[in-house]
């Protein structure tokens, strides 16, 4: 019986492996615990143990990026086991523990294993950036088993090598966040073949931006002063990180403080060695850093009056860099994120841009490839350019159109079904950091992974699959959001909605171990929720050039908010005491500092508002202390200069909060922080319910309401409509066919009856089409009525909405009698995300944050 069961398990395993190898889509999304072990398993291959040395074997003719990754794997093995691994060519193989790595067609040894039937690669050949990790039995005489990593192309091979590094316990952030791996005496890989790739998104990467106050200062004064800023030494570390995260694209730093990337030829050559595809931002066509490289007067960067000069400027870059693997940004904007100079009307701007497209593509024909369809090209419809596209700007069909977000994490545009037929496809440019109006956020990274998931899965489902770029600012401390963004880009199947809430726990387990993973994940989840309510960089309720005014929060809300932050700090302290000494730096960088800094920023601001001078000054001093730790002894001085609290200086004052100033007088002593308690709702008669607090729901055949955990200002999540590609349902059909959420409530007989208004508190998403978000509601047996919100993108209302992470859509519902009632919320158009629903008499407080009750208060 046991033998039969074992045979069944083997057959199931073989069938699963066969499916993975034949599948054209992603195949390995699970953690590595099931295939990496510290004890010998039947049929396992030795990665490293004390019995004999480990040898990493690769062909001399393989790509430089494969050689670099193999070198890193050898170092990673030593980090984990304390034993050095040797790198050699196939001609120098000895009877050792073997890790055979190589690219199809570049490694005769691996090609021979495939030809002999010892290595089954399935449909790997010709795939984009894909790889197989396998345990191969008897790959050669005298070798029982070997670990084999084979890639479809050079980047695929490198990704496979770094996949093994992560599997043995080395974090992708081992250098950038000082994450120390757990030491292990031995490492073995279970029998079997595992296939990875192709990626969900073809080009996946980051944009280093607004680097003036962190990354540049650190590089110029600490890490590589010889280059007076971010140079090849820093970029080498960035390139390695990208490969460890299975990313392949970089838009380099471009502010005036930074040396232009291509000013030093070594940078582009290094990117080529690492297999990184270089691009340039929305404001930098043809790989040109206009801020640092355009030496003529800024007004002469004008295609109407100086087309020959601008064209020659672009041509110079293509002559020097056209032989590398690049993505070319087409079009033209002004110097440093400003509007294009020259044309005066939108019609003229479209005409000039279409001429520019033609001229740029002729240059690409000449210097890059006579077949323009083989040259990766993008057009980023950012800021004032998006309306031009919507007005009819003709973009060549093979060019990828990149949709921007609104700079605050809400994607501004989505392709229609007809647009998705374009050969060039679509992509997304997404902000995890931003310098701009209405208020910047450059300091702490507080975009919830759940929001990244909601926006990027929606974008992917609506055709944005060719390029994703995240603006990560100074990169630190944006590690969590950056990795989640890139994980989604690599494998959209890894984080289905049902698994979204486990991301932080898996991340914490990898970085700090399973024992503390649940608590660290819970801390970071609350960190994101509290800071989603109001970012630390937005802790003033007036915009630049406006008169200062108090926050919109009530005294009770302020007390509750500060209490929540204080409790979070306490939990951080308790966890920190449980971690190993070699984990302390990483814990400070990834968890303790973000939590403490955001807590102290809130304490400083609100105690100032309450007039508690001593408490505010104390919070400011504590903030200065932890910043000094960042920029001083942390990691033996490694990060000196990397961290600057917002605002770091007086630059760009029109788009940043004011510098903090202590209250003039100490009105009262520091108020004791009360325990968290429900906040009293507004004084008007109110029935308020979190969106997920429905009693019943109804789906239809094409659309349904689903909970997005971890997204929203309060509660357990938000409710959104899926799939986001579903067709809208006419209002007349809502009652019979629309997906519905039912909420039960009771009005008492005293002051409960009367005229009511319905308000839906929405996440400030952009519509999938048009300018309006909409749903429908009905009370009891009433007919559905439409509830709409015109987002008025870029308006004052929109600005306050993204700062508060809330837009409110309201409609009158008439007189409600005392007694029991039922509210029906109908989903009629995807794209709307509901956080809270409220029925109320009178005006609601715009600052209301606290828990809500499903009864009248």
């Amino acid at each position: 019986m046991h033998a039969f069961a074992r045979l069944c398990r083997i057959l199931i395993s073989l069938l699963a492996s066969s499916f993975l190898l034949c599948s054209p889509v992603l195949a390995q999304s699970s953690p590595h615990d099931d295939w990496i072990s510290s004890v010998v398993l039947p049929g396992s291959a030795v990665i490293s143990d004390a019995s004999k040395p480990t040898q990493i074997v690769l062909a001399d003719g393989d790509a430089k990026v494969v050689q670099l990754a193999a070198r890193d794997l050898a170092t990673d093995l030593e980090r984990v086991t304390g034993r050095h691994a040797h790198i050699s060519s196939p001609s120098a193989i000895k009877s050792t523990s073997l890790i055979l790595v190589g690219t199809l067609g570049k490694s005769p040894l691996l090609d021979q294993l495939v030809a002999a039937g010892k290595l089954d690669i399935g449909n790997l050949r010709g795939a984009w950036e894909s790889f197989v990790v396998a345990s191969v039995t008897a790959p050669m005489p005298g070798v029982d088993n070997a670990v084999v990593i084979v890639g479809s192309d050079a980047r695929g091979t490198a990704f496979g090598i770094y996949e093994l590094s992560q599997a043995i316990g080395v974090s992708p952030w081992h250098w950038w966040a000082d994450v120390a791996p757990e030491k292990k005496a031995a490492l073995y890989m279970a029998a079997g073949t595992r296939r990875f790739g192709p990626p969900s998104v073809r080009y996946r990467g980051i944009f280093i931006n607004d680097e003036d106050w962190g990354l540049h200062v650190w590089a110029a004064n600490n890490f590589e002063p010889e280059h007076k800023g971010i140079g090849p030494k820093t970029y080498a570390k960035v390139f390695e990180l990208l490969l460890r995260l299975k990313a392949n694209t970089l838009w380099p730093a471009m502010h005036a403080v930074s040396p232009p990337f291509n000013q030093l030829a070594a940078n582009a050559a290094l990117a080529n060695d690492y297999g990184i595809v270089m691009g340039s931002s929305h404001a930098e066509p043809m790989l040109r850093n206009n801020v640092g490289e355009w030496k003529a007067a800024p007004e002469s960067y004008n295609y109407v009056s100086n087309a020959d000069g601008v064209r020659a400027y672009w041509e110079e870059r293509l002559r020097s860099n056209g032989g590398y693997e690049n993505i070319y940004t087409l079009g033209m904007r002004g110097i440093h994120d400003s509007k294009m100079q020259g044309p005066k009307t939108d019609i003229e701007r479209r005409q000039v841009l279409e001429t520019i497209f033609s001229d740029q593509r002729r240059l690409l024909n000449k210097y890059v490839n006579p077949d323009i369809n083989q040259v990766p090209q993008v057009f980023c419809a950012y800021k004032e350019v998006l309306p031009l596209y919507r007005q009819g700007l003709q973009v060549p069909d093979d060019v990828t159109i990149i949709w921007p977000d609104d700079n605050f994490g809400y994607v501004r545009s989505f392709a229609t079904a007809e647009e998705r037929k374009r050969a060039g496809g679509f992509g997304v440019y997404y902000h995890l950091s931003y310098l701009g109006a209405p208020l910047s956020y450059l300091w702490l990274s507080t975009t919830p992974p759940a929001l990244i998931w909601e926006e990027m899965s929606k974008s992917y489902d609506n055709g944005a699959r060719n390029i994703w770029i995240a603006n990560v600012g100074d990169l630190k401390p944006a590690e969590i959001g950056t990795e989640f963004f890139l994980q989604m880009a690599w494998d959209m199947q890894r984080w289905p909605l049902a698994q979204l809430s486990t991301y932080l726990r898996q991340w914490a387990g990898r970085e700090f171990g399973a024992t503390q993973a649940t608590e660290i994940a819970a801390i970071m989840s609350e960190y994101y929720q509290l800071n989603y309510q109001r970012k630390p960089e937005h802790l003033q309720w007036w915009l630049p050039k406006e008169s200062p005014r108090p926050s919109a929060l009530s005294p009770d809300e302020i007390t509750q908010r500060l209490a929540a932050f204080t409790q979070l700090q306490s939990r951080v302290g308790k966890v920190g005491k449980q971690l190993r000494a070699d984990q302390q730096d990483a814990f400070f960088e990834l968890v303790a500092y973000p939590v403490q800094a955001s807590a102290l920023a809130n304490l400083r601001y609100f105690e100032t508002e309450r007039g508690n001078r001593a408490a505010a000054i104390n919070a400011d001093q504590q903030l200065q202390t932890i910043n000094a730790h960042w920029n001083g002894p942390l990691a033996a001085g490694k990060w000196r200069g990397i961290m600057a609290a917002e605002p770091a200086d007086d630059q760009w004052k029109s788009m940043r909060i004011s510098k903090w100033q202590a209250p003039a007088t100490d009105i009262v002593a520091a108020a004791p922080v009360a325990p968290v308690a429900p906040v009293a709702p507004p004084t008007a008669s109110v029935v308020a319910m979190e969106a997920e607090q429905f009693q019943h729901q109804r789906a239809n055949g094409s659309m349904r309401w689903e909970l997005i955990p971890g997204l929203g200002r309060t509660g357990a999540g938000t409710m959104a409509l899926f799939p986001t590609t579903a067709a809208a349902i006419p209002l007349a059909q809502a009652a019979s066919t629309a997906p519905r959420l039912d909420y039960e409530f009771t009005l008492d007989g005293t002051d409960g009856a009367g005229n009511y208004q319905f308000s839906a508190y929405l996440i400030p998403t952009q519509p999938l089409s048009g300018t309006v978000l909409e749903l429908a509601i009905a009370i009891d047996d009433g007919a559905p009525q439409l509830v709409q919100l015109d987002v008025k993108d870029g308006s004052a209302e929109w600005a306050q909405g993204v700062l508060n992470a809330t837009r409110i859509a309201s409609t009158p519902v008439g007189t409600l009698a005392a007694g029991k009632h039922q509210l029906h919320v109908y989903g009629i158009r995807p794209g709307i995300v509901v956080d809270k629903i409220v029925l109320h008499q009178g005006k609601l407080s715009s600052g209301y944050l606290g828990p809500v009750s499903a009864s009248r208060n």
Side-chain angles (χ1 to χ4, degrees):
M1 192 68 183
H2 293 297
F4 177 76
R6 184 173 181 273
L7 177 62
C8 288
R9 286 197 299 270
I10 293 172
L11 289 172
I12 291 170
S13 176
L14 290 172
L15 287 170
S17 297
S18 174
F19 171 78
L20 297 181
L21 288 166
C22 295
S23 172
V25 293
L26 310 141
Q28 176 66 32
S29 300
S30 61
H32 307 100
D33 299 351
D34 57 345
W35 56 280
I36 299 296
S37 173
S38 295
V39 296
V40 179
L41 300 172
S44 62
V46 180
I47 298 172
S48 177
D49 67 14
S51 64
K52 48 191 173 181
T54 297
Q55 194 172 7
I56 301 171
V57 180
L58 71 158
D60 295 333
D62 218 324
K64 185 63 179 291
V65 64
V66 176
Q67 299 172 34
L68 292 168
R71 177 201 66 188
D72 288 341
L73 175 59
T75 304
D76 291 344
L77 284 167
E78 190 166 6
R79 287 188 178 100
V80 175
T81 67
R83 290 183 296 272
H84 183 69
H86 299 278
I87 300 176
S88 65
S89 65
S91 61
I93 289 179
K94 299 178 181 178
S95 180
T96 62
S97 303
L98 294 183
I99 301 175
L100 309 178
V101 302
T103 307
L104 288 176
K106 296 293 184 180
S107 172
L109 173 59
L110 296 187
D111 290 342
Q112 290 168 14
L113 291 178
V114 174
K118 293 187 176 183
L119 175 61
D120 186 356
I121 60 169
N123 62 349
L124 187 68
R125 199 177 303 276
W128 177 259
E129 296 182 347
S130 301
F131 61 93
V132 162
V133 181
S135 171
V136 175
T137 302
M140 57 197 66
V143 179
D144 294 333
N145 285 286
V147 174
V148 177
I149 302 170
V150 57
S152 61
D153 51 30
R155 273 196 297 271
T157 306
F159 292 155
I161 294 170
Y162 287 118
E163 182 72 22
L164 182 59
S165 282
Q166 189 173 163
I168 66 173
V170 177
S171 168
W173 301 93
H174 77 95
W175 191 88
W176 280 99
D178 301 297
V179 180
E182 181 184 351
K183 303 296 183 182
K184 297 173 184 176
L187 294 165
Y188 306 93
M189 191 177 81
T193 300
R194 297 152 191 90
R195 188 192 193 285
F196 300 72
S200 298
V201 177
R202 189 172 182 85
Y203 295 105
R204 313 163 303 281
I206 63 173
F207 178 23
I208 295 173
N209 193 217
D210 307 320
E211 67 275 9
D212 309 46
W213 304 280
L215 202 63
H216 164 74
V217 176
W218 166 78
N221 300 306
N222 188 13
F223 191 60
E224 54 176 324
E226 64 273 21
H227 292 114
K228 300 179 181 179
I230 302 169
K233 189 176 177 182
T234 302
Y235 281 120
K237 293 298 185 183
V238 172
F239 296 153
E240 179 195 329
L241 174 67
L242 291 175
L243 293 176
R244 287 181 182 271
L245 295 173
K246 299 188 185 68
N248 60 10
T249 305
L250 178 68
W251 289 0
M254 47 73 67
H255 271 217
V257 297
S258 295
F261 180 83
N262 289 300
Q263 178 176 287
L264 192 63
N267 284 333
L270 191 67
N272 189 61
D273 286 347
Y274 275 91
I276 297 300
V277 185
M278 293 305 301
S280 52
S281 75
H282 51 84
E284 303 174 285
M286 310 300 276
L287 301 178
R288 273 298 199 178
N289 178 317
N290 299 324
V291 175
E293 294 183 326
W294 181 260
K295 302 302 183 182
E299 58 268 20
S300 66
Y301 188 65
N302 184 319
Y303 215 75
V304 173
S305 63
N306 187 28
D308 290 343
V310 173
R311 201 162 44 244
Y313 168 70
W314 292 335
E315 188 172 15
E316 181 183 24
R317 177 51 34 77
L318 295 185
R319 280 199 301 267
S320 64
N321 289 56
Y324 294 130
E325 187 178 8
N326 302 308
I327 297 178
Y328 296 92
T329 297
L330 302 189
M332 187 176 185
R333 298 185 67 223
I335 301 290
H336 202 148
D337 202 6
S338 60
K339 294 182 180 180
M340 179 172 59
Q341 299 185 70
K344 304 300 181 185
T345 67
D346 282 354
I347 292 176
E348 292 174 353
R349 292 183 184 96
R350 295 201 304 271
Q351 292 171 342
V352 171
L353 278 173
E354 288 170 6
T355 298
I356 288 172
F357 292 155
S358 297
D359 292 349
Q360 289 171 332
R361 285 160 67 83
R362 276 193 290 270
L363 292 175
L364 294 173
N365 273 138
K366 182 177 180 180
Y367 292 103
V368 181
N369 194 323
D371 183 357
I372 194 66
N373 294 312
Q374 300 302 311
V375 181
Q377 306 153 72
V378 299
F379 171 69
C380 189
Y382 187 62
K383 289 193 175 178
E384 79 286 346
V385 183
L386 181 58
L388 299 179
Y389 174 78
R390 289 172 171 166
Q391 292 166 15
L393 175 70
Q394 296 299 301
V395 180
D397 186 64
D398 60 305
V399 174
T400 299
I401 295 174
I402 298 180
W403 301 128
D405 70 346
D406 64 354
N407 305 310
F408 290 84
Y410 307 96
V411 177
R412 267 197 161 112
S413 200
F414 304 87
T416 65
E418 184 63 29
E419 286 177 314
R420 291 199 288 273
K421 298 176 183 177
R422 298 183 73 261
F426 294 87
V428 175
Y429 169 46
Y430 193 81
H431 285 77
L432 298 174
S433 172
Y434 178 58
L435 173 62
L439 284 173
S440 306
Y441 55 104
L442 301 169
W443 175 28
L444 302 177
S445 186
T446 54
T447 302
L451 177 60
I452 299 171
W453 184 91
E454 187 274 331
E455 288 295 298
M456 297 312 299
S457 63
K458 180 170 60 180
S459 296
Y460 183 85
D461 289 345
N462 284 274
R465 302 183 176 191
N466 207 38
I467 182 169
W468 287 12
I469 299 291
N471 185 323
V472 300
D474 283 318
L475 186 56
K476 294 183 68 65
E479 296 93 342
I480 294 175
T482 298
E483 180 168 2
F484 187 67
F485 178 91
L486 293 174
Q487 281 190 10
M488 288 187 67
W490 170 257
D491 181 359
M492 282 298 299
Q493 305 306 315
R494 179 169 184 177
W495 298 113
L497 185 54
Q499 296 298 317
L500 176 59
S501 61
T502 69
Y503 168 68
L504 287 173
R505 188 166 66 250
Q506 286 194 26
W507 166 83
R510 186 193 69 193
E511 307 300 63
F512 303 108
T515 303
Q516 299 298 328
T518 298
E519 174 64 357
I520 291 174
I523 288 170
M524 295 310 295
S525 179
E526 188 166 351
Y527 162 84
Y528 283 117
Q529 180 179 319
L530 287 169
N531 288 302
Y532 186 63
Q533 294 171 357
R534 193 82 179 190
K535 291 181 180 294
E537 300 93 337
H538 299 161
L539 288 176
Q540 67 178 46
W541 266 253
W542 67 94
L543 298 182
K545 300 182 180 179
E546 293 181 350
S547 298
R549 65 175 183 270
S551 71
L553 276 63
S554 71
D556 283 345
E557 289 171 328
I558 292 171
T559 296
Q560 182 198 22
R561 182 169 176 81
L562 297 185
F565 270 119
T566 298
Q567 291 186 2
L568 211 53
Q569 285 182 285
S570 176
R571 292 166 68 185
V572 165
K574 291 178 182 178
V575 170
K577 293 177 182 178
Q578 306 301 315
L579 298 176
R580 304 189 310 264
D582 65 352
Q583 295 177 311
Q584 294 301 319
D585 288 342
F587 186 68
F588 178 83
E589 295 170 42
L590 297 172
V591 179
Y593 179 82
V595 170
Q596 291 172 353
S598 58
L600 292 168
N602 275 266
L603 189 63
R604 182 177 68 176
Y605 176 83
F606 286 110
E607 293 295 15
T608 298
E609 183 174 288
R610 298 200 291 196
N612 295 334
R613 176 180 170 84
I617 291 176
N618 182 56
D620 180 66
Q621 290 173 342
Q622 291 184 59
L623 185 54
Q624 303 311 315
T625 297
I626 61 173
N627 274 2
H629 181 67
W630 248 115
N631 297 312
L634 177 67
K638 176 180 175 180
W639 298 112
R640 286 193 306 271
I642 196 75
M643 188 55 58
E646 179 71 357
D649 54 28
D650 291 326
Q651 297 185 70
W652 309 90
K653 294 176 71 171
S654 65
M655 54 189 66
R656 299 167 78 179
I657 58 173
S658 304
K659 281 195 171 183
W660 175 78
Q661 292 183 337
T665 59
D666 195 351
I667 299 176
V668 295
V673 178
V676 176
V679 173
T683 55
S685 295
V686 168
V687 176
M689 293 163 282
E690 299 293 347
E692 72 274 12
Q693 291 180 335
F694 58 89
Q695 277 72 43
H696 312 283
Q697 75 165 326
R698 178 189 74 185
N700 75 356
S702 62
M703 193 160 44
R704 66 194 182 279
W705 287 103
E706 292 275 8
L707 173 71
I708 303 179
L711 180 58
R713 291 179 17 145
T714 60
T718 54
M719 300 300 295
L721 291 165
F722 292 94
T724 59
T725 53
I729 296 173
L731 180 64
Q733 299 175 19
S736 58
T737 65
R740 190 183 75 200
L741 299 173
D742 298 332
Y743 301 84
E744 297 173 356
F745 63 97
T746 301
L747 302 178
D748 65 27
T750 54
D751 60 347
N755 261 337
Y756 277 80
Q757 180 109 343
F758 170 84
S759 292
Y761 285 54
L762 310 175
I763 300 303
T765 57
Q766 299 273 341
L768 285 161
S769 62
T771 65
V772 175
L773 296 166
E774 60 184 17
L775 49 75
I777 64 161
I779 304 292
D780 299 328
D781 297 325
Q785 62 183 98
L786 197 60
V787 183
Q788 292 183 311
L789 174 72
D790 189 332
V791 298
K792 299 179 180 178
D793 191 8
S795 67
E797 300 98 307
W798 164 85
Q800 290 302 323
V802 294
L803 294 177
N804 282 316
T806 296
R807 299 298 303 275
I808 300 177
S810 299
T811 189
V813 295
T815 301
L816 298 180
K820 293 184 177 180
H821 296 275
Q822 196 170 62
L823 168 68
H824 308 294
V825 176
Y826 298 94
I828 58 175
R829 186 182 299 275
I832 196 167
V833 184
V834 185
D835 195 2
K836 183 169 66 175
I837 56 175
V838 180
L839 287 161
H840 57 99
Q841 295 176 320
K843 186 177 180 181
L844 287 174
S845 162
S846 60
Y848 179 55
L849 297 174
V852 291
S853 167
S855 61
R856 187 190 65 78
N857 293 278

